[in-house]
Each structure stands twice: as C-alpha cells, then as structure tokens.
Amino acid sequence: MVDCYQLLAANKIVSFQVPLGDENHVVTGLTPHYLEPMARSIPQSVTLGLVQMGCTPDPAENLQKAVAGVRDAAGRGAQIICLQELFRSQYFCQTEDHGNFALAEPIPGPSTEVLGPLAAELGVVIVASLFEKRAEGLYHNTAAVIDADGRYLGKYRKMHIPDDPQYYEKFYFTPGDLGFRSWDTRYGRIGVLVCWDQWYPEAARLTAMSGAQILFYPTAIGWLPAEKQEHGAQQQSAWETIQRSHSIANGVYVCAVNRVGHEGDPAGGIEFWGDSFVSDPGGRILVKAGAGEEVLVATCDLSKVNASRTHWPFLRDRRIDAYQDLTKRYLD
Amino acid sequence: MVDCYQLLAANKIVSFQVPLGDENHVVTGLTPHYLEPMARSIPQSVTLGLVQMGCTPDPAENLQKAVAGVRDAAGRGAQIICLQELFRSQYFCQTEDHGNFALAEPIPGPSTEVLGPLAAELGVVIVASLFEKRAEGLYHNTAAVIDADGRYLGKYRKMHIPDDPQYYEKFYFTPGDLGFRSWDTRYGRIGVLVCWDQWYPEAARLTAMSGAQILFYPTAIGWLPAEKQEHGAQQQSAWETIQRSHSIANGVYVCAVNRVGHEGDPAGGIEFWGDSFVSDPGGRILVKAGAGEEVLVATCDLSKVNASRTHWPFLRDRRIDAYQDLTKRYLD
C-alpha cells in the first residue's frame, strides 16, 4: 500500500511513492495544484489458479490434463497458475524403484517446452513442479517458473526432502542447492516451495524475505489409509494450519496445490486429500477445494501484503541479533 | 519417549538413556543379565494449569486472585501453572505514562517472594509474568520460573517488543537480552515466551531447540472495540493458528494464557479476548477457555514430543546449511 501523487510537469506524468502514514508529506518547490492525490491504497489485484487433479500412470495424459486445467483457470481469469507437485506422474516415491528415474527430465526440457508456449498464448504465469534430471545419477524435486510471456524464469529445487513410510523421497531427490528464491513475474513477485518445505517456518521466512508476495506450495500429501481414522483429521488440520501460519508470520499470500485420488497398493497406498487452498496475509482461507478434481481461482489484493505488515508489524521487530543459533541442529 | 535400561549394579539402580531407534545399542562391559529393558515408551504425564483472569487497578488484589487461581489449578491436579502476562496489574501499556514505572519490581522480588513459598507448599511449578525493574531507567517484560520446591529457577526477558496503537510496549520495555531459554523443572523441561513473541517462529524454534517440551506464552491480547466487528475473528484465529503452528513445527506442547475483560478508556480501550488454550505436538487443541475468568487444566503426555517428532520428523531435515540469512533484516 503506497501513497502516490502524480505530478503533471513538462507534459509528463511523473509518479513517486512516499511511505504510508506520512500524511503531511510536503514536496518542496511544487505548488499545490500540481499535486493530485491518488487513492491511498492501490489495489494490485492478481488472480491465482490452482489445478488440483488426479494422475494416471501415463505422463502424457497427465500433461494433457494439466494443460486443460491451466486453460480452464485462465478462462476464469487466473493470471498465475500453479500445478500440483510432480503432476506429470503418479507419486512414484511410494516405492524405491530405480525404474522411476526414467520419469525425470531436464529443466528446461520437454514439459517447459509445452508449458512455455501455453503460458505465452494465455498470458499467464505457470508454476510447474517437475522431476528434474540434472546429471547422470543426480535428480531433484524441482519447480519451474514460467512468466506470462512464455519465458522460463528459473527453478526452485526442493530444499527439505522427506523420508517416511511411502514417501521415500530421499532415495530419489538430492536436496536443493539453489536456496530460497523469488521471482518478479508479470503479475507479482512470487516464491515457490515444495511440499515438505511447508513444515519449515525458516523456508517461508527466507522466501518472504527475498520479496515474495505469494508463496506457492505444489504438494503431494495424503493419508495412509490405515492411519486415516485415527490421525487423518489432525494431519490435514496441521497441514493447513502450518501453511496459514506462514501467511500470518510473513504477511503474504499462500497458495497450496495438492493432488487427489488413491494411488499405489489398493490395500494400502496413499489417499491424496486435495484440499488445495489460498490464504491471505492475515491467514484467512480465501478459497478451498474438496477431495476431488477441481480448478480453483482466487483473486488477491497484493496491497494487503503491506497493509498486513504495517498493521501487525512482525517484520519490524525480528530479533536478528539473537537468531544465529537457527543454523544449529540443536542446542545441546 | 526414551528407551531406558536399568542396571542393577553395586546395589544401586543406575538408569541411562539411549536414543530411540537405537535398537542394537550395546553397552560394553556389561553382561546381558544386567540389562532389563523397560517399556519403550514411558508416558510422562504432566498436568498444566492456566489461570485466565481479569485484573483490577489494585496489584495486591490481582496477586490475591492469581494465588487463588494457582490453588484452584493445583487442587485440580495441575503441576505446572502459568499466569497471564503482567498479571499483577491492568495492561498499563495502553498509554505512555511515566507513573506506570512504579508498578515494576525486581525479579526475584516481592511477587516471587509470595509465589515461591506457594509453589513449595503446593508442589507446583509457577510461570509468572512480571514487570521487571532491572536498574534505574531499565525495565523489562519478564517471566519468572519457580520450581515445585519453591526455588526461583531463572527468568526470560521478552525478546520481541510490540508498539502499536494501545500497545505502547516499546516505551516501557527494553528488549530482552537473555535469549531464548528453557529450564528443567520437576515435571518437565519448559520454555517461556511472552505475547508478541508468539508471532515469531524463530522464537519458538530456538526455545524448542534448547530442549523445551512445553512452550508457555503468558499473553495480553484483545480487540480494539472499533476494529472488532471487521477484524476480530481474523485476529483471534491468527493468534491461535500461529501458536498451534509452533506446536506442529517443533513437536511441542504450547500453553497460551491470556487475560480477559475490558480495560482502559470506556469508549475504546482493549477488550481482552481470553481464549487461553493448550495444543499438543500435533497442533490439536486439548483445552480452550472462553472469554471469561477461568482456570483450565490439561494433562499432557510428554512422550508425545518424541512420538510426534519421529513420525513427522521435521527436526531431522532442517537445512541448517541454508538458514544463515535468517539473521538478516531483509534480502534486498
């Protein structure tokens, strides 16, 4: 949120910004009739699209479905569209199978070669989570960011890699080495984190500190059917809560996109819970999907990032002189 | 949750701990018959007491009410009892008034001299938030920790100090200089943070990393009546959400104790919202107060700290090699 004045001088509109709350700002040397106060808060509206889908064993089919989802979202006004984690395949990490490395691709590569032109055609930003083959025997869980002109902006490599029953990601993915990043896109500055990252306030903080107004979390999370009865509600609530907390702590929008459907062993496997959502900088849920395939859109007012951060000024008061031990494993 | 073995040697029981999961732990030099495996998971039950109260302008009266609350909680089985932020007075930070410095006291001092013997009498740990006078012109918002034998264990000085309309704390309180701490008490290892700290994942993380199984948050938060209609629900939800997120991210219990009642200008002031609660390491709310005076008790199984952290092993995967920028203000 900025206070703006426009100056009509020498036949040119010159605009500049002064900090919010500086009610008595005086521009020396300008007579009052040159000053046209604009609205105090400039809404910077951006519409997000979330493509929540089920996947088949056929990567081509999944890509087709993702493209259809992007078109659907764009048709409903979405400007930044996020696909779920590893949308080109089923969630293969349920087993440790060397054959699954064949699913990987370079980035940029085949998927971005389809999504880039699509982004340009529709004028939308696309966040695409892909299985990256970086070199022989070196693979990452990576998200590509494509700007609305189709240009590949860069990638984020998942930094926190889980390894739990049926989520054997440490077998497949080398932990990311690009750090926490954000990018200026046509519609706003965005950061991308992937699934397990969502449990780490450090990741959200660092991405927000790099300027992101929206944090995207492509995700593949679900219930192990044997646990669902006892722990399912708590797990899902914790997942939503921790991500809403990133909105709150950092004054940013969070956009989480999860897959749906049952995959794997029919007697076990994983039941992906969907529930994709967008939360605003106050932690309010703006839109939320159910457990089925769904394309969501949500309009976000990016001026709320500054409004939230000035009203609840958490960034102002961080005790950066006392945080050095965050780089330790434990304080024992 | 610990794996314990007891050694019967030289007529003494010697117990020691080995990390969970170290199934094949071998103790050199001991023959097998000396090893008696105990239950893998030892429930370590502790009952918390939360004294949520309204305050009058009379510090003596507030102390009396707090003592009554501690007795009530102890009578219902509470073993670690937390009082709300600055329970000895009304929330004086609504104005910047030099006269309010007279409310401060040394720590240890008059309040701990009452609460120490009370703790010993009842066999309870007490967490007491007090206005500390450290030296002439040097004041802190501090919490004292008193063990169940009445011994003063130490203090935490609020690290993050707010300054917002009607919360003019930067006028009164020098930011804490003792860092983030935890203490072994008779009933568990606890950490204490105070109010505004609750918005900082860094504070919760560092306190948990110092070993705390339970994070206590004495608090004084409420609505500005003019804002309540529009923002009240969001504010309260954000407050609960961010603290539940500390439970989730760190696998610890969180115990937040807030005040109730309206204080200050009758046409404005602050309506403290109560809503004190305890959340478990999965983020579930175990008990929750309403908007009136209330003494809550909640029994916590401390073995769930390890159970939670091994099932959702977030501490295992922290990217401490990539967190160094958390000590920066912003990445610009």
Side-chain angles (χ1 to χ4, degrees):
Chain A
M1 190 150 50
V2 290
D3 276 337
C4 286
Y5 294 81
Q6 290 188 321
L7 303 176
L8 182 58
N11 289 328
K12 285 194 300 193
I13 299 288
V14 181
S15 74
F16 62 93
Q17 303 179 341
V18 296
L20 178 69
D22 189 355
E23 301 283 355
N24 303 310
H25 186 86
V26 173
V27 182
T28 312
L30 291 172
T31 49
H33 69 276
Y34 285 117
L35 290 170
E36 290 293 327
M38 292 174 64
R40 280 183 59 99
S41 169
I42 302 175
Q44 300 163 268
S45 179
V46 57
T47 299
L48 311 185
L50 298 74
V51 180
Q52 171 177 296
M53 56 188 243
C55 289
T56 75
D58 177 7
E61 200 178 317
N62 297 324
L63 180 59
Q64 213 168 29
K65 196 189 273 190
V67 167
V70 168
R71 288 188 181 281
D72 180 1
R76 291 158 58 199
Q79 296 164 305
I80 308 180
I81 299 170
C82 184
L83 298 164
Q84 72 205 23
E85 186 182 15
L86 301 170
F87 74 94
R88 292 226 47 185
S89 64
Q90 291 194 318
Y91 183 69
F92 53 83
C93 312
Q94 289 198 52
T95 57
E96 298 196 353
D97 179 347
H98 293 88
N100 287 330
F101 287 106
L103 293 166
E105 58 178 309
I107 301 175
S111 292
T112 57
E113 280 158 25
V114 172
L115 297 173
L118 181 69
E121 176 200 332
L122 301 172
V124 299
V125 174
I126 297 177
V127 176
S129 164
L130 299 164
F131 185 15
E132 180 187 12
K133 180 173 183 177
R134 181 177 182 180
E136 309 299 307
L138 188 54
Y139 296 78
H140 296 281
N141 186 330
T142 299
V145 180
I146 301 166
D147 208 354
D149 58 1
R151 191 166 48 99
Y152 164 74
L153 283 183
K155 66 181 78 165
Y156 166 77
R157 290 189 176 127
K158 185 173 182 174
M159 292 286 283
H160 302 92
I161 307 294
D163 190 294
D164 292 298
Q166 286 165 256
Y167 294 86
Y168 301 114
E169 295 198 16
K170 289 193 195 296
F171 173 73
Y172 294 102
F173 309 128
T174 299
D177 59 350
L178 298 175
F180 303 99
R181 316 185 63 185
S182 57
W183 293 269
D184 280 317
T185 72
R186 182 184 295 175
Y187 303 114
R189 190 167 175 90
I190 69 171
V192 183
L193 295 158
V194 179
C195 204
W196 194 240
D197 291 324
Q198 66 213 174
W199 302 102
Y200 294 85
E202 294 93 341
R205 179 73 92 201
L206 287 165
T207 307
M209 283 170 61
S210 77
Q213 298 164 300
I214 309 165
L215 306 183
F216 288 91
Y217 286 94
T219 294
I221 192 168
W223 297 293
L224 307 193
E227 290 183 359
K228 184 178 176 185
Q229 179 70 21
E230 188 178 350
H231 299 292
Q234 177 272 326
Q235 291 171 348
Q236 194 172 31
S237 170
W239 176 78
E240 186 180 287
T241 299
I242 194 85
Q243 292 180 94
R244 287 178 58 215
S245 84
H246 303 327
S247 272
I248 296 163
N250 299 292
V252 293
Y253 288 89
V254 163
C255 175
V257 185
N258 190 24
R259 68 173 59 208
V260 297
H262 181 276
E263 296 178 16
D265 180 358
I270 302 178
E271 181 187 340
F272 295 96
W273 68 50
D275 248 41
S276 302
F277 70 90
V278 176
S279 58
D280 79 2
R284 289 182 206 84
I285 300 277
L286 299 184
V287 294
K288 183 169 165 173
E293 295 197 328
E294 207 166 331
V295 175
L296 288 176
V297 297
T299 298
C300 304
D301 174 0
L302 295 182
S303 74
K304 287 198 176 171
V305 173
N306 195 54
S308 170
R309 288 181 183 173
T310 48
H311 282 77
W312 281 16
F314 308 139
L315 291 194
R316 181 191 64 191
D317 295 332
R318 292 177 68 243
R319 288 296 303 272
I320 56 175
D321 60 312
Y323 292 165
Q324 59 277 4
D325 282 351
L326 289 169
T327 59
K328 295 192 177 154
R329 185 63 68 202
Y330 200 70
L331 303 174
D332 46 11
Chain B
M1 191 151 52
V2 290
D3 276 337
C4 286
Y5 293 82
Q6 290 188 321
L7 303 177
L8 183 59
N11 289 329
K12 285 194 300 192
I13 298 290
V14 181
S15 74
F16 62 93
Q17 303 179 341
V18 296
L20 179 67
D22 189 355
E23 301 284 355
N24 304 311
H25 185 86
V26 173
V27 182
T28 312
L30 292 172
T31 49
H33 69 276
Y34 285 117
L35 291 169
E36 291 292 327
M38 292 174 65
R40 278 184 59 98
S41 170
I42 302 174
Q44 301 162 268
S45 179
V46 57
T47 299
L48 311 185
L50 299 74
V51 181
Q52 170 176 298
M53 57 187 242
C55 288
T56 74
D58 177 7
E61 200 177 316
N62 296 324
L63 180 59
Q64 214 168 28
K65 197 189 272 191
V67 167
V70 168
R71 288 190 182 280
D72 180 1
R76 291 158 57 200
Q79 296 165 305
I80 308 180
I81 299 169
C82 184
L83 298 164
Q84 71 204 23
E85 186 183 14
L86 301 170
F87 73 95
R88 291 226 45 185
S89 64
Q90 291 194 318
Y91 183 68
F92 53 84
C93 311
Q94 290 198 52
T95 58
E96 297 196 354
D97 179 348
H98 293 88
N100 287 331
F101 286 106
L103 292 166
E105 58 178 307
I107 301 174
S111 291
T112 58
E113 280 158 24
V114 171
L115 296 174
L118 181 70
E121 176 200 332
L122 301 172
V124 298
V125 174
I126 297 177
V127 177
S129 164
L130 298 164
F131 185 14
E132 180 186 12
K133 180 172 183 177
R134 181 177 181 180
E136 308 300 307
L138 189 54
Y139 296 79
H140 295 281
N141 186 331
T142 299
V145 179
I146 300 166
D147 208 353
D149 59 1
R151 192 165 48 99
Y152 165 74
L153 283 183
K155 67 180 78 164
Y156 166 76
R157 290 188 175 129
K158 187 173 182 173
M159 292 286 281
H160 301 93
I161 307 294
D163 190 295
D164 293 298
Q166 287 166 256
Y167 294 87
Y168 301 114
E169 294 198 17
K170 288 192 195 297
F171 174 73
Y172 294 103
F173 309 128
T174 299
D177 58 350
L178 299 175
F180 303 99
R181 316 185 63 184
S182 59
W183 293 269
D184 281 317
T185 71
R186 183 183 295 176
Y187 304 113
R189 189 166 175 92
I190 69 171
V192 183
L193 295 158
V194 178
C195 205
W196 194 240
D197 292 322
Q198 65 213 174
W199 302 102
Y200 294 85
E202 293 93 340
R205 179 72 92 202
L206 286 165
T207 307
M209 282 170 60
S210 77
Q213 299 164 300
I214 309 166
L215 307 183
F216 288 90
Y217 286 94
T219 294
I221 192 168
W223 297 293
L224 307 192
E227 290 183 359
K228 184 179 176 184
Q229 178 69 19
E230 188 179 350
H231 299 292
Q234 178 272 327
Q235 291 171 347
Q236 195 171 31
S237 169
W239 176 78
E240 185 180 287
T241 299
I242 194 85
Q243 291 179 94
R244 287 177 57 214
S245 84
H246 304 327
S247 273
I248 295 162
N250 299 291
V252 293
Y253 287 90
V254 163
C255 175
V257 185
N258 191 23
R259 68 172 59 206
V260 297
H262 181 275
E263 296 179 17
D265 180 358
I270 302 177
E271 181 187 341
F272 294 96
W273 67 49
D275 248 40
S276 302
F277 70 90
V278 176
S279 58
D280 79 3
R284 288 182 207 85
I285 300 277
L286 298 185
V287 293
K288 184 170 166 173
E293 294 197 327
E294 207 166 330
V295 174
L296 288 175
V297 296
T299 298
C300 305
D301 174 359
L302 295 182
S303 74
K304 287 198 175 171
V305 173
N306 195 54
S308 170
R309 288 180 182 173
T310 47
H311 281 77
W312 281 17
F314 307 140
L315 291 193
R316 180 191 65 190
D317 295 333
R318 292 177 69 243
R319 287 295 303 272
I320 57 174
D321 60 313
Y323 292 165
Q324 59 277 5
D325 281 351
L326 290 168
T327 59
K328 296 191 176 155
R329 185 64 68 203
Y330 200 71
L331 303 173
D332 47 9

